[in-house]
Amino acid sequence: MLLASPAVADSVPLPDLRRPLTETSAVPALDEPSPGGGTARTAAATAAGKPRFDVTGDGKTDLVHRTRNGFTFVAPSSGGAHVEFVTDGTSTDFDLVPIGDQNGSGSPELLSVSATGALRLYADASTTWGALRWTGYGWNVYNKVFSPGDVDGDGRADVMARQHNGDLYFYRATGTLSAPFAGRVKVGPGWDDYDQVVGLGDNDGDGKGDLLARTPAGQVYFYGSTGDKSAPFKPRKALATGWQVYNQIVAVDDRNLDGRADVFARDLNGTLWAYYGRGNGTFTARAQTGTAWNKVDQFGGAGNVPSLGRTLFMARDKAGTLFWHRGLNNGKLAPREQLSSDGGWAGADVTLAYALDGNTIPDLLFVRDGYLYNTSNKHVFGGGWGVYNRLVGPGDLSGDGKSDLLARDRSGVLYLYQGNGAGTGFASRVRVGSGWNAYNQILGAGDHTGDGRTDVVARDGSGNLYLYRGTGSAKAPFAGRLLIGGGWGAYAKLVAPGDISGDGRADLLGATASGDLYRYLGTGTDAAVSARVKIGYGFQTYGNLY
């Protein structure tokens, strides 16, 4: 029996979804060249080239990052053991933005962006913590916040933010930690052409911060600074192609101490590559600088749109036993982990929802006798859920940074339940629309199109797969459907694992009746997914994937 009394969650034998937090990133050594080889530069350029997160005092930026378990760590530039960095006021850092020494104290400041749009400034950072000095709200109107370095030439790193529609805004740093940024200035539209935007620091030798921007197709452009806050960048200059092989491109300032800004890039295998700046807006050929960096979920200063809350999926075998299948940020899966007792969930009506409590582990929900239960916190949402024949937890559909739930009734009407961010309640349902009974699969776990909004995909009885692009509005959460392609009826099971490739975009998996597992990586475009690659077999043993 799963339930002794339909209203008492404590009577339900619940599996432990909170694995021991052993997923710390064993930070490898960085194989970098010896310092030197630079040319003399102006005093202004030297100031602009200062590292934005040097907490070890060696003149190099240390890599601050979020690991797969949601904790923030610092990887010293020396390659030594990583150190946990505590950010008070938030349990998980959605994104991290190093901004250097803002107040002249000699120690750097760090910005943390939360999934709900709180921007926090941590002052006088060390390897382990920074003092929380300021919090601003409403930054979830942007899908990317980053620092190009000192744009206007006053010696302080400034901040830029891109809205979901591609408009880019400039925030001048004031040097006052209690009010760190002046009012925003619009730079211009069209920045949604890029899936990664990286604030380099000074690479072209003029003493001001520059940008690197990449398209989903892998074309890289360099934007040099003008010093004008209302038009801060010169016309773009094409640098390279083929950079789609990287899932995160990371600003690291001057790592080889030659006075020029460099950049790191991580490929799908977890190899970290260094491109060293020449001082004229170009870079040297890449050099390998480390391996096994796929254990990092999000680098501070990376150019991608981050994701948080689901990098795995659940499988139930035909006997009713639950298993985790965890993504490795390289498009592959770790060996499965048994989650429940043998046969403990046979016949249960279960759904895996994208982190309703804002954590890094999704929530296992199940319905019995019309009551909806959250196994993660043993919460009972109440009765009446038996009217629905499908529940989907794709993430935040309303734009507030809190994960939501979709529910389809037996007549095909789809409803949105807006989550409260704690996994304990929903707002009153909102009718999304009718006709959703045309689909035998409705699924999603994050952003497929690269705009930072949660999307869903749906498969009809003919095997056609459709994309419903998220809008960020609870009243109308989806734009009109877009056909991705046909032939998806070849899969006996589809599942949305979230981001298993480490680029922040949602991926898809399909299992054939014979048990072969194929992945489709997110593209950051309306095409939604890439060509398939086989990554597993034996999935015929499962009755369901969630």
Side-chain angles (χ1 to χ4, degrees):
M1 291 288 290
L2 286 177
L3 194 61
S5 168
V8 183
D10 285 339
S11 66
V12 182
L14 302 176
D16 182 8
L17 299 186
R18 307 294 178 178
R19 298 187 309 277
L21 297 177
T22 57
E23 283 296 312
T24 57
S25 61
V27 176
L30 292 169
D31 307 320
E32 295 188 82
S34 300
T39 57
R41 310 185 73 197
T42 66
T46 302
K50 289 182 178 179
R52 281 172 284 177
F53 197 73
D54 176 19
V55 291
T56 56
D58 64 355
K60 299 181 182 181
T61 288
D62 303 296
L63 297 183
V64 61
H65 59 278
R66 165 167 50 86
T67 59
R68 287 202 300 257
N69 60 17
F71 289 103
T72 297
F73 284 87
V74 172
S77 57
S78 63
H82 69 170
V83 181
E84 184 180 352
F85 187 91
V86 177
T87 48
D88 293 335
T90 181
S91 59
T92 306
D93 300 302
F94 184 62
D95 206 354
L96 297 153
V97 186
I99 55 172
D101 183 7
Q102 292 281 316
N103 61 352
S105 69
S107 298
E109 275 68 62
L110 177 70
L111 297 176
S112 166
V113 187
S114 79
T116 56
L119 184 68
R120 295 179 172 89
L121 186 148
Y122 296 91
D124 302 324
S126 68
T127 55
T128 58
W129 80 293
L132 178 58
R133 296 290 297 274
W134 173 83
T135 303
Y137 297 97
W139 289 75
N140 50 338
V141 299
Y142 303 114
N143 64 13
K144 188 63 187 177
V145 179
F146 61 97
S147 172
D150 176 19
V151 172
D152 58 3
D154 64 0
R156 292 185 293 268
D158 305 303
V159 166
M160 289 190 167
R162 182 182 62 184
Q163 287 187 332
H164 297 82
N165 65 358
D167 289 346
L168 186 67
Y169 290 87
F170 169 80
Y171 287 85
R172 179 181 62 83
T174 65
T176 302
L177 299 187
S178 59
F181 304 115
R184 72 178 189 176
V185 176
K186 187 174 181 178
V187 174
W191 289 84
D192 53 343
D193 290 343
Y194 304 117
D195 64 345
Q196 297 211 28
V197 184
V198 185
L200 290 174
D202 177 27
N203 179 270
D204 61 8
D206 65 355
K208 302 179 182 66
D210 306 316
L211 284 186
L212 199 69
R214 188 194 74 177
T215 68
Q219 175 71 59
V220 177
Y221 296 94
F222 176 81
Y223 286 86
S225 294
T226 65
D228 181 354
K229 65 181 181 181
S230 61
F233 300 113
K234 302 171 186 176
R236 70 184 187 180
K237 179 173 63 175
L239 282 189
T241 59
W243 281 46
Q244 72 275 12
V245 299
Y246 301 124
N247 52 28
Q248 290 190 34
I249 305 170
V250 187
V252 293
D253 299 308
D254 178 17
R255 289 288 296 211
N256 61 354
L257 301 184
D258 67 352
R260 307 176 179 103
D262 309 314
V263 69
F264 284 177
R266 184 184 67 180
D267 67 21
L268 192 60
N269 294 320
T271 302
L272 203 61
W273 300 91
Y275 289 85
Y276 295 104
R278 292 191 176 106
N280 60 359
T282 66
F283 296 88
T284 62
R286 72 180 190 176
Q288 184 173 315
T289 188
T291 58
W293 284 86
N294 56 297
K295 295 182 179 180
V296 173
D297 254 9
Q298 184 68 29
F299 287 98
N304 64 304
V305 177
S307 66
L308 174 70
R310 187 162 171 180
T311 58
L312 45 73
F313 64 99
M314 187 178 291
R316 180 172 61 185
D317 68 17
K318 294 174 182 178
T321 306
L322 294 178
F323 297 87
W324 282 127
H325 281 277
R326 179 167 44 85
L328 295 175
N329 282 338
N330 60 6
K332 300 177 182 178
L333 303 176
R336 72 180 190 177
E337 304 168 42
Q338 186 167 334
L339 173 62
S340 74
S341 59
D342 293 344
W345 287 81
D349 181 7
V350 302
T351 298
L352 195 64
Y354 191 127
L356 293 173
D357 60 358
N359 209 305
T360 59
I361 304 294
D363 299 297
L364 177 62
L365 311 180
F366 74 94
V367 177
R368 184 167 175 90
D369 295 333
Y371 284 80
L372 179 64
Y373 298 86
N374 187 343
T375 65
S376 299
N377 56 14
K378 298 185 179 182
H379 182 76
V380 186
F381 289 103
W385 292 85
V387 300
Y388 301 117
N389 61 10
R390 185 170 294 275
L391 300 178
V392 183
D396 171 30
L397 291 166
S398 59
D400 62 0
K402 302 171 184 178
S403 291
D404 307 314
L405 192 67
L406 294 171
R408 184 186 67 184
D409 69 18
R410 285 170 171 75
S411 68
V413 177
L414 190 69
Y415 295 92
L416 170 67
Y417 284 87
Q418 191 171 343
N420 66 359
T424 58
F426 299 106
S428 298
R429 71 180 188 179
V430 176
R431 189 179 190 272
V432 175
S434 60
W436 288 77
N437 52 352
Y439 301 120
N440 54 35
Q441 285 277 6
I442 305 169
L443 64 162
D447 170 31
H448 288 285
T449 59
D451 63 357
R453 302 291 196 194
T454 294
D455 312 307
V456 300
V457 296
R459 183 182 67 180
D460 67 16
S462 300
N464 294 319
L465 192 68
Y466 295 91
L467 169 71
Y468 284 85
R469 190 166 188 160
T471 65
S473 168
K475 294 181 179 179
F478 301 117
R481 74 177 188 177
L482 180 67
L483 177 65
I484 296 175
W488 289 79
Y491 298 112
K493 294 176 279 287
L494 293 174
V495 66
D499 174 27
I500 63 170
S501 64
D503 60 4
R505 299 193 288 249
D507 306 314
L508 286 178
L509 298 175
T512 65
S514 62
D516 290 337
L517 186 71
Y518 293 88
R519 77 172 188 222
Y520 293 82
L521 298 183
T523 63
T525 69
D526 283 342
V529 292
S530 65
R532 74 178 191 174
V533 173
K534 184 177 176 179
I535 62 169
Y537 58 89
F539 277 72
Q540 74 277 10
T541 190
Y542 297 126
N544 304 91
L545 304 179
Y546 306 99

